[in-house]
Amino acid sequence: SRQFRERSRAAANRLGGRRKGSHLHTHTMAEWDEGTKSTVQKIPLLKTKAGPRDKEGWAKRLKEEYTALIKYVQLNKGSDQDWFTISSNKEGTHWSGKCWYIHNLLKYEFDLEFDIPVTYPMTSPEIQLPELDGKTSKMYRGGKICLSIHFKPLWSKNSPHFGVAHALCLGLGPWMAAEIPHLIDTGIISHKDK
């Protein structure tokens, strides 16, 4: 509704001093829970439209990426919902780390990696959990997670303002919340101590 869009714009402008016309398109976020929506609106939007081939612009973009990631990690730690670690290579083109999911008081940890596409930030990164390759239909070859039909349009509408932190918050986080419990409950994956 119009009123919802106006409130969303006002909230987005309050968060991080967004300039007019540069707001988070939240009206297409019906699939995400309120906690995820609230969190993503607190992650700073990025301003620099540059990919890995634009050396000068990419250095500026990487600074914005790390600023957004630091804020997202702080938000997670502040709400006792820390669930990943991540870093990039020197060029900022390959990212890797760990992500984990707590299920029935047990921590399940997975390697996490992705490369920044040449067409980034217009195209989102394809997040991979290699050790889960072939264990769910919600995954492509190589362990690339299958994001919802709602994620890619949302990324497109918010490009170039979305970055790595947004992909983790709106992509990997919800994917893990939906898939990991199912994989555990069906016995496809088991805890390392069992």
Side-chain angles (χ1 to χ4, degrees):
S1 78
R2 184 172 158 235
Q3 188 177 24
F4 175 78
R5 286 192 303 272
E6 288 172 1
R7 280 196 317 263
S8 295
R9 282 188 191 121
N13 286 331
R14 281 193 307 274
L15 300 168
R18 313 240 195 299
R19 60 180 195 269
K20 226 174 186 173
S22 175
H23 62 274
L24 181 64
H25 290 273
T26 56
H27 59 280
T28 56
M29 292 180 59
E31 178 180 306
W32 289 273
D33 64 76
E34 290 305 315
T36 301
K37 289 181 198 177
S38 173
T39 301
V40 80
Q41 290 178 349
K42 294 173 186 169
I43 299 171
L45 294 177
L46 288 74
K47 296 179 178 119
T48 305
K49 182 180 176 181
R53 289 183 177 171
D54 177 0
K55 297 295 179 203
E56 192 174 306
W58 184 238
K60 186 176 178 187
R61 173 76 185 203
L62 276 177
K63 286 180 186 173
E64 293 175 15
E65 293 282 359
Y66 274 110
T67 299
L69 272 168
I70 289 166
K71 178 65 176 179
Y72 184 37
V73 168
Q74 288 171 342
L75 290 168
N76 287 337
K77 287 186 178 193
S79 61
D80 198 28
Q81 295 181 7
D82 194 26
W83 62 275
F84 69 90
T85 61
I86 192 165
S87 62
S88 74
N89 63 1
K90 189 176 81 171
E91 297 80 21
T93 55
H94 181 78
W95 295 72
S96 59
K98 297 276 186 187
C99 59
W100 52 90
Y101 190 84
I102 308 294
H103 184 72
N104 294 334
L105 303 177
L106 295 174
K107 181 178 179 180
Y108 294 81
E109 190 172 273
F110 309 97
D111 290 331
L112 155 70
E113 65 181 55
F114 57 88
D115 292 314
I116 297 294
V118 174
T119 54
Y120 188 81
M122 305 316 281
T123 305
S124 65
E126 293 182 320
I127 300 169
Q128 295 175 260
L129 304 178
E131 62 208 274
L132 295 181
D133 186 20
K135 295 187 178 183
T136 173
S137 61
K138 304 283 178 150
M139 187 167 268
Y140 300 112
R141 183 174 291 168
K144 293 178 182 175
I145 66 169
C146 178
L147 295 172
S148 74
I149 59 170
H150 303 282
F151 176 79
K152 291 196 182 205
L154 184 66
W155 182 278
S156 295
K157 287 183 182 184
N158 286 284
S159 180
H161 307 294
F162 273 9
V164 170
H166 301 88
L168 295 172
C169 181
L170 296 171
L172 181 59
W175 185 92
M176 288 179 63
E179 289 301 307
I180 300 301
H182 172 71
L183 293 172
I184 295 166
D185 292 343
T186 56
I188 295 171
I189 60 174
S190 57
H191 193 265
K192 63 183 177 195
D193 295 338
K194 284 189 175 182

